[in-house]
Amino acid sequence: MAGEVSSICSNLIRFDTTNPGSGERPAAEYVAELLAEVGIEPVVFESASRRTSVVARIPGDSPEALLVHGHLDVVPAEPADWRIHPFSGEITGGCVWGRGAVDMKGTLSMTLALVRDWARRGVRPARDMVLAFLADEEATGEYGARYAVRRRRELFDGCTEAIGESGGYSVEVRGRRVYPIAVGERGTAWMRLTADGVAGHGSRPPADNAVAELCHALSRLAAHRWPVRLTPGVAALLTSLEEILGERIDRDRLEQEAERLGRAGTLFAAQIRNSANPTMLQAGYKVNVIPGTATAHVDGRFLPGYREEFLETIDRLLGPRITREFLSLEEAPDASLNAPFFERLRAAILAEDGQARPVPYVMSGGTDAKSFAGIGIRGYGFAPLRLSPDLDYFGMFHGVDERVPVEGLEFGVRVLDRLLASPGA
C-alpha cells in the first residue's frame, strides 16, 4: 500500500490532462483499470468527447454512504519554467514531481492505493463508499461534477457527506503542526461585463465611449473596500489559533493580524471578505476606431451566507450602463464543524500524528464540493498530508515545480485508512 501510492501518483501525472486540452480519458481509463484489477467495478462515462469521469461504489457496514471525490484535470504548465518536466512524474529528492502532484493527483493516488490494498486483504469500509474521479474541476465542472449530479445522480444515492481536496495537510506554525480541515468555501461568481456605446472615428470627440464606460466601472469595482464579515467557520478557526499560539487575535484588525501571523495568517487572510477581481479585457480592433462594445471578465467570490449582499454591491458599483452575465454562479457550501463526522476527521489525523493540531478552515477558492452540496451532500476538505516546514504547499497550487513528498502521501494513506475502514478490519 505505502509503496504503491507514489508509483500511482507518478503514472497519473504522466497523463497530460491539462484543462483546456485533450481531455481526461487516458487518466480515467488508467483509474478504471486499477479499480477493475482488484474487483472494484468502475462506471466510466463521458459528458463530451474525451471528457471522462469514473465512479465506483464499495459496499460497507452501513448503507449511509460517504463520497470521496477528486478531479483528474490539471491547470496548464509551461515546461520551460520548471526544473523537472511537469508531466514527467519523476520521483527524486523524496518527492513526486509534476503538474497535479498536489492538485490533485496525489490525493487520488492515496485513495486508489488504499482501496486496492483493502480489496486484496478483504477489508470493508465502515460505510458504503462512493469514489468519484472527475473531469473539469479546473474550469466550471460543467463536464465533470455538474454533469455527474445532473445526469448520473443515481451513482450518489445514499451519500450524506463527502471529503475532497484542500484540507487535512500540515502547516507549520511556530513549531506546531496545524492541520486545517475545510468546513466550507467561498461561493463563485464568474462574470462577463459588457458596455455598449457608439462606434466612430478615434479622432472625434467621444460621444459614448464603451471602453471608457467599462474602465470607469472596473475602477470602481477594483477600488471597493469590501467589509470584513466573520463567518462561523473562520471565527472557529481564529479561536483555535488563539489556543494554539497562546495569544489573542484582534478581530478589529484582521488583515494586519494575518500579516503578523505569517503562515497562520494565510489560513484566514482571504476568507474574511468577499472579492471581485477584474481578470480579462476585450475591446476594439484598430487604434483609430472607437469600438461600439467593450467586455471584461471578473472573478467574484463571496462568503457563505453573503451571496445577496455581494450581488447587490456588484450591481451598485457597476452602475446602470454595464450589463453582467454569469459564466459560473455557485453557492458557497457550508458544513457543520460540530458534526460527529468532523470529529472523526480530527481523530484520524491525531491517530497518525500525536502532535497535530486540527482546526476548522474555510477555503478562499472553490472545488467540486459546490456541485455535490446542491444535491444535499455536506462536503469537507480533507486530503491529508504531513509536510516538511520548508515546503510551500500553498505556493504549489497552480504554481511552478509542483511536487508532493512520498512520505506525505504514505501518511495520507494511513490517515484515510483510519478514517474509512470498518472498526472490525
Side-chain angles (χ1 to χ4, degrees), residues 178 237-247 249 264 267-268:
V178 174
L237 166 66
L238 295 175
T239 299
S240 296
L241 289 176
E242 287 178 327
E243 294 172 356
I244 293 168
L245 298 172
E247 60 184 78
I249 298 173
L267 298 177
F268 64 85

Side-chain angles (χ1 to χ4, degrees), residues 324-398:
R324 63 162 168 81
E325 58 182 311
F326 292 111
L327 304 176
S328 179
L329 178 62
E330 294 184 290
E331 190 54 80
D334 203 11
S336 174
L337 55 90
N338 297 313
F341 186 66
F342 181 77
E343 289 305 312
R344 288 199 288 274
L345 297 174
R346 294 182 71 257
I349 289 178
L350 284 165
E352 287 298 325
D353 182 358
Q355 302 303 310
R357 302 300 296 268
V359 298
Y361 168 65
V362 175
M363 285 182 273
S364 62
T367 73
D368 284 334
K370 289 179 168 60
S371 293
F372 295 114
I375 59 171
I377 301 175
R378 298 180 297 277
Y380 294 85
F382 192 76
L385 284 172
R386 179 169 169 177
L387 302 167
S388 60
D390 59 345
L391 195 64
D392 182 10
Y393 187 66
F394 287 117
M396 287 190 296
F397 276 87
H398 300 188

Side-chain angles (χ1 to χ4, degrees), residues 13 27 47 52-53 80 84 96 111 115 137 170 197 202 206 213 224 254 276 328 340 347-348 360 373 375 401:
I13 288 170
S47 54
T52 315
S53 297
I84 295 175
V96 186
T111 301
V115 299
E137 191 273 348
S170 66
E213 189 67 38
H224 180 66
L254 284 175
S328 179
I375 59 171
D401 292 335

Side-chain angles (χ1 to χ4, degrees), residues 57-67 124-130 153-161 377:
R57 182 181 289 259
I58 303 174
D61 292 343
S62 168
E64 184 182 83
L66 172 70
L67 171 63
R124 287 173 62 87
R127 56 200 282 196
D128 277 14
M129 272 177 56
V130 175
R153 173 67 181 83
E154 76 283 357
L155 296 174
F156 308 101
D157 285 349
C159 291
T160 56
E161 289 145 338
I377 301 175

Side-chain angles (χ1 to χ4, degrees), residues 5 8 35 68-69 106-117 129 131-133 163 413 416 420:
V5 65
I8 293 175
L35 295 172
V68 180
H69 65 90
T107 305
L108 302 185
S109 303
M110 293 190 297
T111 301
L112 287 164
L114 176 64
V115 299
R116 281 168 58 83
D117 178 70
M129 272 177 56
L131 313 178
F133 305 84
I163 57 172
V413 173
L416 291 177
L420 302 173

Side-chain angles (χ1 to χ4, degrees), residues 10 13-14 84-90 97-98:
S10 176
I13 288 170
R14 292 192 185 106
I84 295 175
H85 194 285
F87 297 106
S88 69
E90 184 173 329
W97 289 66

